[in-house]
Amino acid sequence: MSETELGGTGGAQVADSKQLDEDDRLKPEFVRAVLDAVYDGVPESARTLVEPLHPADIADLFELLPAEARTELAKSITDLLDGDVFAEMNDYVREELLDSLSASEVADIASELDTDDAVAIIEDMDAADQREVLRALDPDDRAAIEEALSYPEESAGRLMQRELIAVPEHWSVGDVLDYLRGNDELTTDFWEVFVVDPAHKPIGSCHLSWIMRTPRSVSIGDVMQREQTLIPVDMDQEEVALRFQKYALISAAVVDTSGRLVGMITVDDIVHIISQEAGEDILRLSGAGDGDINEPVLDSYKARVRWLISNLFTALLASSIIALFEGTIAKMVALATLMPIVAGVGGNAGTQTMAVTVRALATNQLTRSNTWRSVRRELRVAILNGGTVAVVIGIGVATVFGNPHLGGVIAAAMLTNIVVAGLAGVMVPVTLERMGADPAVASSIFVTMTTDSMGFFAFLGLASATGLVG
């Protein structure tokens, strides 16, 4: 594997104001110009327009173009489509373009990248295509990628890169410097040197700045930092990101089950993971699947429809509660007008609490040690919110309908539902997490069911119990 830096210029010039706006996004007129060149069959013009772009901007350009124009543009700028561009590209767009390339061409692209980026390109391919690409790789590259693919998806083993610097403890600083300067095949993108014992187990690390500022005669063992954060190879990437955030890491050693150093993870990979995981949690809360505008329509349909059907069944439960009070509603039509307000505001309150709780669980802010403190906190917030909204809606309804009794009933129902929503918003995600389920996936269905059902039951039940309807 070469050490081409992901996101590097890759020989491209820096794009100027003709291509990018003030927010560093490709201008619509520039995209249209490229599209016109492609449709007019003038590949030279398309290449001239695209050549100054950074690899990340070229990747963005492909995502902005219609699907039918992407392959034609790829043919026009073949020499510009290096590994950096594919590494920056949207997964769906990249898969579409890779399908149009031969196995040897995909292998050439993968060989330009660090192992982690090459794995990201190959892992989503069909098994048959994957085997064909692996056969086209050099033996060393193939062995590294096959090893990475043997680890679970979204684990440190998939995320790590094998290209790192490791030296024995008995070396001096001068030995390390000579080693770095005398081996052209070593990786060029690293921030620290790992120190290992004879069994290749990490025993410390040393920042490059320390090495550069230390006399050559000093032992590397005297300069290194023995305390280090080691990442197990099977650790989930979200947990890896949390460790980087908690301990302010720039890079970290990855170890296998026997404790041997097998790779490293750098902060540039973590930035991507943090963004990816945050986006996934938001999309899961809404039941929108991957939520990618480049996702095939059928895949989006399959991801979303199951949650809509689930929501349909929970809505039927709420409807059955309404049916219990059909006679009450018939005697006072105003109840039918007002009850969606109770359920809707309660649903919003539950969603607020649920979002806070899911995020706290994802970032390890909410654990078994502080669960009940968090529940009590959200309960206090719910009581304050419920009391405030209840007063406002109670006074408003009493004034508009000229019925203080109705105002009191809806105020009490609103307070009840918001408090229940607050409890559901925190208890549902926590319970799902304790059961081993992803709280971001199923919480919204259960919280919505609770707030709708309780909203209708509290409002209509109080109306009947208090004699509002004679």
Side-chain angles (χ1 to χ4, degrees), residues 239 242 246 356-376 426-427 429-431 433-434:
E239 183 62 30
L242 291 174
K246 182 177 181 179
V356 171
T357 303
V358 169
R359 179 184 180 277
L361 289 170
T363 58
N364 285 340
Q365 290 180 318
L366 178 55
T367 64
R368 293 181 183 273
S369 61
N370 66 346
T371 296
W372 290 111
R373 176 162 56 86
S374 299
V375 171
R376 290 192 296 270
V426 65
M427 291 304 300
V430 168
T431 301
E433 196 268 344
R434 298 291 188 267

Side-chain angles (χ1 to χ4, degrees), residues 20-26:
L20 305 178
D21 61 18
E22 62 275 8
D23 295 320
D24 288 334
R25 294 176 298 193
L26 293 172

